[in-house]
Amino acid sequence: MLKHNFHKSHSASCTTVFPVPIAKPFLSGGGNAAAALSLPISHKNTTTIPTKKSKRISRGGVIIRRQYSGSSTGVKAVLIAGSEKSTTTVKAVVTVLQTVGGALTHLGLNRGLDDIADVLGKTLLVELVAAELDPKSGLEKASIKSYARKTGKDDNETYYEASFEIPEDFGEVGAVLIENEHHKEMFLKNIVFNGFSTTTTNDSLEVTCNTWIHPKFDNPEKRVFFTNKSYLPSQTPTALERYREKELEILRGDGQGERKTADRIYDYDVYNDLGDPDSDVDLARPVLGGPDHPYPRRCRTGRPRTEKDPLSESRSSSVYVPRDEAFSEVKQMTFSAKTVYSVLHALVPSVQTSIIDTDLGFPHFTAIDTLFNEGYELPDSSTVVSLRNIIPRLVKAVSDTGNSALRFETPEFIDRDKFAWFRDTEFGRQTLAGVNPCCIKLVTEWPLKSNLDPEVYGPAESAITTELVEQEIGGFTTVDEALKQKKLFILDYHDVFLPYVNKVRQLKGTTLYGSRTLFYLTPADTLRPLAIELTRPPIDGKPQWKQVFKPTWDATGVWLWRLAKSHVLAHDSGYHQLVSHWLRTHCCTEPYIIATNRQLSAMHPIYRLLHPHLRYTMEINALAREALINANGIIESSFSPGKYSMELSSVAYDKLWQFNLEGLPADLISRGMAVEDPTAPHGLKLTIEDYPYANDGLLLWDAIKQWVADYVAYYYQEPSLVESDTELQAWWTEIRTVGHGDKKDEPWWPELKTPDDLIGILTTIIWVASGHHAAVNFGQFDFGAYFPNRPTIARTQMPTEEPKDEERKQFMERPDEFLLKCFPSQVQATVVMAIIDVLSNHSPDEEYIGEQIQPYWADDRVINAAFERFNGRLMEIEGIIDARNADTNLKNRAGAGVVPYELLKPYSEAGVTGKGVPNSISI
């Protein structure tokens, strides 16, 4: 809110003469009130010469003359200015960012017309709107308009200035309307006003915009920007109520037609655009969202349906996202257009053409090392040469030939210890401190059993028996004691994968099992793998097959264990990418973004709290639908479930996802990794004390929760305000019943009645978008680039499952070649390595959690102080994590060759660093 007391001057009034309609809508601030706002304002005295039949009435310094015409048609009322009213001069500087898009598109005739508009001072029409209605008339006060003239340029910013003469009775400025007179959109950064007399010595006031402004020639609707003061719906200044609701109506749209690039409309749709049946029937994919395949909703694009499948939406070269969800200019230059897009659309095809046999694996382990030492020589083309400048980290010039090579940086994991991936201790450590640390569970029931139908999938009871386990832990304890002492843990990918085993096995170049991996917690707080069970359901009249593999000392057993471990790691990689990463962060967050923009006004304090945590996610999700999770995209072609990958993520959403378990403490408790304990730090006692993801995550969770609690307490000082907040209630209802509508009837949804309810909901959303996403994303290159550590696919079956003579012979004679054949092909490995290199990268303009205060809060002492405490706590967390990583007693994060656990350190420099928690899911 631009709150001010005007410097008084004795200049003439700047109000003009305008008619006052008697219609009811105008008197209530709606309807024809817009007509009054759109009239031009003169900066001179204006008078009306009375006619013979007139009556003069004075109301609040404004003279109303009732003029009676000679006819019998009635009364015409006119407002005119008083003759001596004080005004103040206020100047505004509008900052517009020069964009690459603007530079490239401002060519030709339109560029010339826009230059003329700049010369004439007709670039931007700025209109000030009073916050309150006139207290005496109940009408909206006339807005004050001025054209902003171009006055200068500095680097990538262009400045426009406007001047306003504001009457003393105008009151507070509540909003600014902007009309773009150019023929191309402009990116408006902010508007800074000078000349207001405030309670401080600083008379400079700012309206934050950070948005694209469409040209009036495309859409005559002016853009409204509210001032930086936040209001609950019930506290909205009277003259801004209709603007508040009108802006939300625009953002909601009408649900019709195909969305255009410049649109700002947020609406819902199912995931019906992943397949491409018109180009190939084998690329048809089921619709995700609805009773058959429950799923969160995505942003509606309105593209036409495919010819061969009326339920599916046709694909296009670019996927619509609301205009303000697009990446910033820096991200466009350094991340989106220049890296992800280049990798997907230029580098990947180059790799695929340079390796003739797409099924060819690596002939020996040293060949894998060449990816980091020498690289692949890429085809000699102008596209490939240009990649050197776009992604120099990946594509490098070959000095002796002048060609280009795809060469990867050596990941820190391998740089520290080249053989760590081979060891079982590292296998166990990464379940607690790797890139997928949120799937390990405590074993609470014995024996292990499946919940699947035994008539379809075979016997439910696991082949991991008490006797087998006690052979492994006999020197320590019994199974019963281990269960009581909470020493047995499991990675359980049995029930989620087993229904897809037979389907996946019909695909070329991949295979699948259901799997269980059992661990024992040692006295050193490390996890020791005990057994791996691989299961195939009945197939082709043959019964269920299952086998347990365990660490052993004989040569055959050692290689069978390594093969079984590679299958489990492929399962873990697939589940990580499809569920822990894509589903739980990217996919489930999109409905929060849509609902926030549709139901919470830009002046709502909760909108302003959430906005930094929801930026850019829709853009990266659209890019994923375009080339990562689509039919025959990177995920389908490189991960074990193949074409069933996204369908499998729908099953996980249906069976496993609950909003009330997405917060870190609830997640840990639900997996048996913690119990509530009011005497313990964070109110939780961890089952495994040295659990880096949980230990660091709880520090971050508590910091977020305290910041949210301080913020909510400030704006909802009366508990009843939460339940009476109409926008907030509509927001939460829409998330539950539309955005996650396939789960709308679940009993576990939190209520939203009290400030504590709100704090819990907001903390969960912010945690998922920041901490959870950082933990499962930014370590992908370090842990996955050397793919034997985390293969994304297992291409061959175990040699003990009905082996052919040739396969048995190869395994017995050259087991290392058999393992290499099971690993991803050269194309698959190289493509995935390029993708996770980009996905692990921090943009130079990364916005880290708690780093920069939002401009809306900067002038509010209470919120400013709360944010400073939040920022200070995050800086303190940085030091705590560093100290933990230096403590050699913590075996899961410190030791010879061990990569320190830094994924939840709040801050990072740009690049692939393995640390840093951005505000939002921006990659």
Side-chain angles (χ1 to χ4, degrees):
M1 173 65 60
L2 300 184
K3 188 173 182 179
H4 52 266
N5 298 310
F6 296 120
H7 292 298
K8 292 186 179 180
S9 68
H10 295 288
S11 59
S13 170
C14 50
T15 321
T16 192
V17 179
F18 60 97
V20 183
I22 308 299
K24 220 170 186 180
F26 185 91
L27 296 175
S28 63
N32 295 328
L37 289 175
S38 61
L39 290 176
I41 305 299
S42 167
H43 303 304
K44 300 177 182 178
N45 281 336
T46 57
T47 58
T48 300
I49 301 174
T51 59
K52 265 195 207 172
K53 298 181 180 178
S54 69
K55 191 170 181 180
R56 177 177 171 132
I57 305 171
S58 177
R59 289 184 182 171
V62 178
I63 300 170
I64 299 179
R65 292 190 184 276
R66 287 186 176 172
Q67 298 183 357
Y68 299 89
S69 64
S71 67
S72 59
T73 57
V75 177
K76 182 178 181 182
V78 178
L79 286 181
I80 66 168
S83 57
E84 292 292 335
K85 193 172 359 175
S86 298
T87 66
T88 187
T89 300
V90 172
K91 294 188 179 298
V93 176
V94 182
T95 301
V96 172
L97 296 187
Q98 176 64 41
T99 65
V100 171
L104 295 177
T105 56
H106 275 204
L107 301 173
L109 178 61
N110 286 339
R111 173 61 191 264
L113 294 173
D114 291 345
D115 286 345
I116 293 171
D118 284 347
V119 170
L120 297 176
K122 298 286 186 178
T123 305
L124 293 167
L125 180 61
V126 183
E127 191 171 344
L128 306 186
V129 177
E132 301 288 352
L133 298 173
D134 187 285
K136 296 186 177 179
S137 68
L139 309 177
E140 291 185 1
K141 298 173 184 176
S143 62
I144 303 173
K145 298 180 182 179
S146 177
Y147 278 103
R149 296 174 174 270
K150 183 176 179 180
T151 57
K153 192 175 180 180
D154 180 18
D155 294 330
N156 67 330
E157 294 184 348
T158 304
Y159 305 107
Y160 297 84
E161 288 189 8
S163 181
F164 303 89
E165 294 293 328
I166 306 180
E168 61 180 342
D169 59 356
F170 189 77
E172 295 181 357
V173 174
V176 179
L177 303 181
I178 298 287
E179 184 176 81
N180 177 11
E181 306 286 327
H182 273 191
H183 290 74
K184 295 294 181 182
E185 65 178 359
M186 305 170 73
F187 190 87
L188 187 61
K189 179 181 177 183
N190 61 13
I191 308 169
V192 177
F193 292 88
N194 287 284
F196 291 120
S197 175
T198 66
T199 55
T200 67
T201 56
N202 181 13
D203 67 350
S204 176
L205 296 165
E206 180 179 345
V207 175
T208 303
C209 305
N210 288 326
T211 185
W212 295 94
I213 305 294
H214 61 262
K216 72 173 185 180
F217 307 98
D218 293 343
N219 183 350
E221 191 82 40
K222 296 173 185 175
R223 284 294 304 277
V224 61
F225 296 98
F226 300 109
T227 55
N228 284 1
K229 186 173 180 180
S230 300
Y231 292 99
L232 300 179
S234 60
Q235 300 165 345
T236 310
T238 53
L240 301 183
E241 289 174 355
R242 75 179 187 89
Y243 288 99
R244 183 170 188 149
E245 181 53 38
K246 177 64 175 176
E247 179 71 358
L248 287 173
E249 288 175 4
I250 291 171
L251 293 171
R252 291 175 193 138
D254 60 5
Q256 303 298 314
E258 183 173 356
R259 299 273 63 89
K260 300 179 178 61
T261 302
D263 287 346
R264 297 188 302 127
I265 296 172
Y266 296 78
D267 204 356
Y268 299 93
D269 207 344
V270 293
Y271 279 76
N272 61 355
D273 63 340
L274 301 180
D276 191 7
D278 286 350
S279 65
D280 188 336
V281 67
D282 192 50
L283 296 180
R285 296 292 181 268
V287 173
L288 302 185
D292 294 335
H293 299 287
Y295 217 56
R297 298 304 189 258
R298 64 162 174 96
C299 183
R300 179 185 177 277
T301 65
R303 290 175 291 185
R305 300 302 174 98
T306 60
E307 295 180 4
K308 293 183 179 178
D309 180 8
L311 297 178
S312 294
E313 188 174 86
S314 60
R315 295 178 60 78
S316 57
S317 58
S318 62
V319 181
Y320 164 79
V321 295
R323 190 66 186 97
D324 287 337
E325 299 298 328
F327 290 138
S328 69
E329 192 71 13
V330 174
K331 287 189 186 294
Q332 289 287 356
M333 291 296 293
T334 64
F335 165 62
S336 174
K338 296 291 186 178
T339 54
V340 172
Y341 193 88
S342 297
V343 166
L344 293 174
H345 296 277
L347 182 60
V348 168
S350 296
V351 170
Q352 291 168 337
T353 57
S354 64
I355 302 174
I356 299 173
D357 185 355
T358 57
D359 296 325
L360 185 66
F362 289 85
H364 40 75
F365 278 92
T366 54
I368 300 173
D369 296 337
T370 62
L371 294 172
F372 308 104
N373 301 328
E374 301 171 20
Y376 275 124
E377 191 161 322
L378 296 170
D380 187 17
S381 69
S382 58
T383 301
V384 170
V385 171
S386 68
L387 289 176
R388 292 183 201 166
N389 298 323
I390 298 172
I391 41 177
R393 177 181 157 90
L394 288 174
V395 178
K396 300 172 172 65
V398 180
S399 56
D400 54 345
T401 66
N403 291 339
S404 299
L406 172 64
R407 187 167 74 244
F408 295 94
E409 301 289 331
T410 303
E412 186 179 7
F413 171 72
I414 290 299
D415 200 34
R416 283 176 175 252
D417 185 348
K418 187 174 182 178
F419 301 105
W421 70 276
F422 224 51
R423 292 195 295 271
D424 290 344
T425 52
E426 183 64 16
F427 177 36
R429 191 188 77 84
Q430 286 187 32
T431 63
L432 300 172
V435 75
N436 189 30
C438 45
C439 290
I440 188 76
K441 298 178 183 178
L442 177 70
V443 176
T444 56
E445 295 182 355
W446 193 265
L448 302 172
K449 287 186 178 180
S450 168
N451 292 316
L452 298 174
D453 184 354
E455 294 293 324
V456 177
Y457 299 104
E461 190 163 312
S462 170
I464 303 177
T465 63
T466 300
E467 293 74 22
L468 186 149
V469 173
E470 289 187 347
Q471 287 176 11
E472 295 297 312
I473 63 172
F476 292 98
T477 185
T478 65
V479 168
D480 285 343
E481 283 300 312
L483 290 170
K484 290 177 184 176
Q485 296 171 13
K486 298 184 177 180
K487 297 291 186 181
L488 293 180
F489 296 83
I490 191 170
L491 275 180
D492 191 349
Y493 298 130
H494 184 278
D495 285 12
V496 71
F497 283 152
L498 199 64
Y500 283 88
V501 168
N502 291 340
K503 293 180 180 179
V504 168
R505 288 189 171 202
Q506 295 174 17
L507 304 176
K508 180 185 175 184
T510 185
T511 192
L512 193 63
Y513 293 98
S515 70
R516 297 183 179 102
T517 306
L518 191 67
F519 298 88
Y520 177 74
L521 183 65
T522 72
D525 239 21
T526 60
L527 289 177
R528 173 188 161 201
L530 298 179
I532 291 172
E533 179 186 32
L534 299 179
T535 305
R536 182 212 68 200
I539 184 173
D540 298 332
K542 292 177 285 190
Q544 180 196 72
W545 176 89
K546 65 176 64 168
Q547 186 172 349
V548 177
F549 304 88
K550 59 181 183 178
T552 185
W553 299 103
D554 69 279
T556 301
V558 166
W559 279 103
L560 286 174
W561 172 252
R562 287 169 180 163
L563 278 165
K565 202 161 62 168
S566 72
H567 280 274
V568 168
L569 289 168
H571 299 166
D572 191 64
S573 293
Y575 192 90
H576 159 258
Q577 204 64 266
L578 293 168
V579 181
S580 302
H581 185 196
W582 163 256
L583 175 67
R584 290 182 63 182
T585 66
H586 289 261
C587 184
C588 287
T589 295
E590 186 146 338
Y592 310 150
I593 303 169
I594 300 172
T596 298
N597 283 277
R598 285 169 54 88
Q599 300 298 341
L600 297 182
S601 167
M603 68 166 69
H604 198 293
I606 302 305
Y607 173 91
R608 287 172 169 173
L609 175 68
L610 286 176
H611 183 253
H613 303 288
L614 305 179
R615 292 186 70 189
Y616 309 129
T617 304
M618 291 180 75
E619 174 92 340
I620 191 63
N621 286 2
L623 199 61
R625 302 207 315 273
E626 183 184 342
L628 287 173
I629 62 173
N630 61 303
N632 207 31
I634 304 299
I635 297 297
E636 285 195 1
S637 61
S638 303
F639 285 75
S640 287
K643 67 184 289 186
Y644 300 103
S645 293
M646 294 305 292
E647 188 177 327
L648 196 147
S649 75
S650 168
V651 172
Y653 176 73
D654 183 31
K655 304 296 184 185
L656 303 173
W657 188 86
Q658 295 185 198
F659 180 88
N660 64 321
L661 300 182
E662 291 302 289
L664 180 59
D667 170 53
L668 294 172
I669 292 169
S670 72
R671 291 189 283 120
M673 303 303 290
V675 293
E676 290 188 70
D677 182 353
T679 66
H682 319 290
L684 294 179
K685 178 175 176 55
L686 294 179
T687 312
I688 301 176
E689 291 184 11
D690 183 15
Y691 185 4
Y693 166 70
N695 281 305
D696 295 358
L698 287 169
L699 291 174
L700 186 58
W701 170 272
D702 279 1
I704 294 170
K705 187 174 182 179
Q706 185 59 59
W707 155 240
V708 172
D710 290 343
Y711 190 93
V712 168
Y714 180 68
Y715 287 104
Y716 294 90
Q717 297 181 16
E718 296 294 330
S720 61
L721 289 173
V722 170
E723 204 164 0
S724 64
D725 186 332
T726 54
E727 288 183 4
L728 190 68
Q729 294 298 325
W731 168 78
W732 185 233
T733 298
E734 189 167 285
I735 286 173
R736 292 183 292 109
T737 63
V738 184
H740 285 277
D742 294 333
K743 289 181 172 280
K744 65 179 183 300
D745 298 322
E746 297 288 353
W748 40 253
W749 283 107
E751 292 184 323
L752 181 52
K753 294 184 177 180
T754 68
D756 282 345
D757 295 339
L758 180 58
I759 291 165
I761 290 167
L762 294 173
T763 304
T764 296
I765 291 174
I766 293 171
W767 160 257
V768 168
S770 57
H772 179 103
H773 178 260
V776 299
N777 183 73
F778 292 104
Q780 289 192 83
F781 185 79
D782 274 344
F783 287 107
Y786 189 77
F787 65 85
N789 183 60
R790 287 189 65 78
T792 59
I793 191 170
R795 297 192 294 157
T796 59
Q797 295 167 196
M798 291 295 294
T800 53
E801 184 202 341
E802 304 171 358
K804 297 176 182 178
D805 290 342
E806 183 181 343
E807 290 173 346
R808 184 191 298 272
K809 184 174 183 291
Q810 183 190 21
F811 171 68
M812 295 302 291
E813 292 182 357
R814 297 298 302 271
D816 60 331
E817 289 184 359
F818 198 92
L819 179 58
L820 284 165
K821 191 176 178 181
C822 185
F823 282 157
S825 70
Q826 293 187 36
V827 169
Q828 289 169 330
T830 308
V831 166
V832 169
M833 289 167 69
I835 293 297
I836 63 176
D837 184 286
V838 174
L839 296 184
S840 302
N841 188 68
H842 285 297
S843 172
D845 72 337
E846 194 79 90
E847 298 167 18
Y848 295 101
I849 189 165
E851 185 177 36
Q852 295 291 333
I853 191 168
Q854 296 295 302
Y856 314 112
W857 311 323
D859 293 330
D860 190 304
R861 288 183 297 175
V862 175
I863 297 299
N864 198 317
F867 187 86
E868 287 299 318
R869 289 193 296 273
F870 181 41
N871 174 264
R873 180 55 178 159
L874 294 173
M875 298 295 290
E876 187 180 349
I877 288 171
E878 290 252 314
I880 293 172
I881 292 175
D882 285 340
R884 287 174 173 175
N885 287 329
D887 186 350
T888 53
N889 292 316
L890 302 176
K891 307 297 183 185
N892 292 318
R893 63 192 311 153
V898 172
V899 176
Y901 189 75
E902 297 185 314
L903 289 171
L904 289 170
K905 282 190 71 173
Y907 305 118
S908 172
E909 60 274 16
V912 178
T913 65
K915 60 185 175 181
V917 181
N919 267 327
S920 64
I921 304 163
S922 57
I923 192 166

